[in-house]
Amino acid sequence: MLKNDQLAEWDRDNFFHPSTALGAFARGELDNRVVKTASGVFIEDREGNKLLDAFAGLYCVNVGYGRQDIAEAIADQARELAYYHSYVGHGTEASITLSKMILDRAPDNMSKVYFGLGGSDANETNVKLIWYYNNILDRPEKKKIISRWRGYHGSGLVTGSLTGLELFHKKFDLPVEQVIHTEAPYYFRRDDLDMSEEQFVAHCASELEAVIEREGADTIAAFIGEPVLGTGGIVPPPAGYWPAIQAVLKKHDILLIADEVVTGFGRLGSMFGSEHYGIEPDIITIAKGLTSAYAPLSGSIVSDKVWAVLEKGTDENGPIGHGWTYSAHPIGAAAGVANLKLLDELNLVSNAGEVGAYLNKSMAEALGEHANVGDIRGEGMLCAVEFVKDRDSRSFFDAADKIGPQIAAKLLEQDKVIARAMPQGDILGFAPPFCLTKEEADTVVAATARAVKAVLG
Ligand code: PMP
């Protein structure tokens, strides 16, 4: 076996890590961690550290680590048929079965699943399908996509543009011109603290309406949003937000893409976030929880309404000019089938709802009164703690103080618990696997309280 120091050296010399401070890493100012194995909610590195992963990788290992049923399904598939493409009517038992299982669980009026590999490419597919849709309907001007500030939809060219976080635009010449951003439903950070939730929802809807009027409804194709904002800070919407947004979109004949990459397949304690909030999307993006990350697989679930137009388009123009070599890869599909079976057999969606509520409640009890805790929020197995310099004014700490990252680092160092310092603001995020027990939730909360005390007193 290779020595750890040899691997560390090769790592710094050869490996281009995503979402990493490249210079600092190459110079050794940033630690590397070589992860070796994992089971349940714990990962283990090559140094022998066992860490409680309260972020499920990148909120994706929903059924927990080390599930042999999924590993065996992958191995069986690889032995029987590692690959065949899905162009011109080809498929495999796994890909066809999985498409049926997804549609059986999806909201009503959904028609077909297009498979990709990750959330970014699925959202790229969605935008292309919507452009195609409006070209077939002879509305060539109706192409712009509205997204929210703080939304996260990937890091490709269009999807990085849809993502409403500065870091993903800066120095990349993004956003592209077809993408427009509107207000996030971030009640805690509203400009006017006197606004009630109801007033804030009306404000978000009227901001959206103003954007549409400014640009012209005949230029806007779709609106994309996560049922709960994820990477932008784990922000559940205020009550009534989705119906209010949907009413505006319907009025202007604008399609709705629900990006359920994080919320799909149970994270909110419901199978889909759309079901949870009464959203009626035209397209749903799925990825992460589809396979619990045992293999890369994503999907675009297309509604009857969109499908009817796509079908007409290919009758007129020949096959759709959109496909990946690895669309519906059999190994990903086999992992998806086994994963969705496991979710049902172990009742993991209801566990996500129940233990998630417990985690949120316990976090609020432990930290709700702390002078630097401004907000504790969550839904299902998502939870966030937002730190402020001053509770009344909700003022920010100096970004250079890196309070969020410091607390996450302390949590890891003191109690070997992984949470995520969200990329914008001092927000500590939790998104554990759905198999988290109440005892493990207690461990996470106690460790967080200790880390907060160590950094902020
Ligand atoms: N949409 C959402 C809501 C996401 O959270 C993510 C990833 N965090 C993506 C899209 C992009 O997925 P991927 O990283 O698999 O491309």
Side-chain angles (χ1 to χ4, degrees):
M1 198 168 79
L2 276 167
K3 289 223 171 78
N4 286 339
D5 49 4
Q6 173 69 83
L7 269 184
E9 192 186 321
W10 284 357
D11 190 7
R12 293 192 200 282
D13 288 350
N14 301 290
F15 190 174
F16 187 154
H17 288 263
S19 288
T20 297
L22 304 178
F25 185 74
R27 291 190 298 272
E29 292 157 26
L30 201 68
D31 288 343
N32 50 7
R33 184 184 300 286
V34 184
V35 183
K36 186 162 183 286
T37 185
S39 173
V41 300
F42 292 94
I43 66 165
E44 211 173 308
D45 66 18
R46 292 210 2 157
E47 311 278 333
N49 295 304
K50 196 173 164 193
L51 314 170
L52 194 165
D53 182 7
F55 213 80
L58 289 171
Y59 19 44
C60 52
V61 189
N62 291 356
V63 295
Y65 294 95
R67 295 290 186 185
Q68 295 306 302
D69 290 6
I70 307 180
E72 273 158 29
I74 290 172
D76 289 347
Q77 184 65 53
R79 280 190 210 102
E80 191 175 59
L81 177 70
Y83 174 73
Y84 201 72
H85 67 78
S86 53
Y87 284 24
V88 281
H90 291 81
T92 61
E93 183 175 337
S95 60
I96 296 166
T97 304
L98 184 59
S99 60
K100 163 100 174 87
M101 289 174 84
I102 293 167
L103 266 299
D104 285 348
R105 287 159 178 76
D108 292 343
N109 307 320
M110 289 289 143
S111 180
K112 305 279 186 294
V113 193
Y114 177 93
F115 287 106
L117 292 164
S120 300
D121 72 63
N123 279 327
E124 296 279 337
T125 292
N126 295 341
V127 173
K128 280 187 71 187
L129 295 183
I130 285 169
W131 288 353
Y132 188 87
Y133 170 92
N134 277 333
N135 284 332
I136 298 305
L137 291 178
D138 208 14
R139 312 194 289 198
E141 301 301 317
K142 205 167 168 67
K143 294 287 163 57
K144 293 176 194 161
I145 316 283
I146 302 180
S147 168
R148 285 100 45 93
W149 291 117
R150 286 191 172 265
Y152 190 86
H153 303 293
S155 55
L157 281 177
V158 171
T159 54
S161 301
L162 295 172
T163 290
L165 297 168
E166 204 201 339
L167 182 69
F168 290 80
H169 298 165
K170 212 168 59 176
K171 302 274 196 286
F172 285 113
D173 296 353
L174 298 181
V176 296
E177 65 182 8
Q178 293 96 334
V179 170
I180 303 158
H181 293 96
T182 186
E183 175 123 15
Y186 194 1
Y187 184 60
F188 177 71
R189 287 288 180 201
R190 64 198 178 278
D191 285 339
D192 176 1
L193 290 183
D194 291 333
M195 250 187 203
S196 68
E197 251 191 41
E198 217 178 339
Q199 288 168 327
F200 179 69
V201 164
H203 162 77
C204 291
S206 78
E207 284 287 305
L208 175 62
E209 187 105 46
V211 170
I212 295 169
E213 267 155 29
R214 186 188 74 213
E215 302 285 330
D218 54 348
T219 72
I220 299 180
F223 177 95
I224 185 167
E226 303 149 85
V228 172
L229 282 163
T231 304
I234 305 189
V235 188
Y241 172 80
W242 280 111
I245 293 298
Q246 239 165 196
V248 175
L249 299 177
K250 284 210 170 117
K251 183 170 142 199
H252 295 287
D253 193 15
I254 294 170
L255 297 176
L256 172 57
I257 308 167
D259 185 340
E260 299 238 23
V261 166
V262 169
T263 53
F265 304 104
R267 186 155 286 283
L268 303 182
S270 312
M271 191 52 80
F272 282 92
S274 296
E275 170 194 331
H276 199 78
Y277 291 114
I279 307 170
E280 294 165 17
D282 298 291
I283 299 187
I284 301 176
T285 323
I286 50 176
K288 303 185 190 269
L290 173 58
T291 60
S292 287
Y294 279 72
L297 191 74
S298 64
S300 301
I301 315 178
V302 176
S303 63
D304 297 328
K305 175 177 161 180
V306 172
W307 179 259
V309 176
L310 299 182
E311 216 177 61
K312 179 167 171 277
T314 62
D315 287 341
E316 291 167 0
N317 299 291
I320 192 153
H322 181 74
W324 321 133
T325 301
Y326 296 144
S327 293
H329 195 290
I331 289 179
V337 169
N339 173 63
L340 295 188
K341 279 189 187 156
L342 209 58
L343 268 188
D344 289 350
E345 281 164 22
L346 302 180
N347 228 356
L348 288 171
V349 176
S350 79
N351 200 64
E354 192 191 324
V355 180
Y358 177 79
L359 173 68
N360 273 287
K361 183 171 143 281
S362 310
M363 198 67 83
E365 282 166 9
L367 283 167
E369 301 303 316
H370 192 283
N372 299 113
V373 171
D375 197 23
I376 300 176
R377 55 182 179 253
E379 190 71 24
M381 202 61 101
L382 283 172
C383 173
V385 182
E386 178 157 353
F387 301 96
V388 289
K389 199 166 177 181
D390 173 75
R391 270 172 87 110
D392 292 333
S393 64
R394 303 187 178 186
S395 56
F396 294 95
F397 282 105
D398 196 332
D401 291 342
K402 295 197 161 90
I403 295 295
Q406 272 196 61
I407 295 172
K410 200 46 99 178
L411 187 57
L412 195 61
E413 178 196 317
Q414 288 184 162
D415 286 295
K416 299 194 171 171
V417 170
I418 301 174
R420 186 171 182 209
M422 306 310 284
Q424 195 165 302
D426 291 310
I427 301 167
L428 197 62
F430 302 86
F434 302 173
C435 56
L436 188 83
T437 62
K438 288 188 174 165
E439 293 70 36
E440 287 160 348
D442 289 340
T443 303
V444 170
V445 170
T448 305
R450 270 166 45 77
V452 171
K453 190 163 194 320
V455 175
L456 295 169

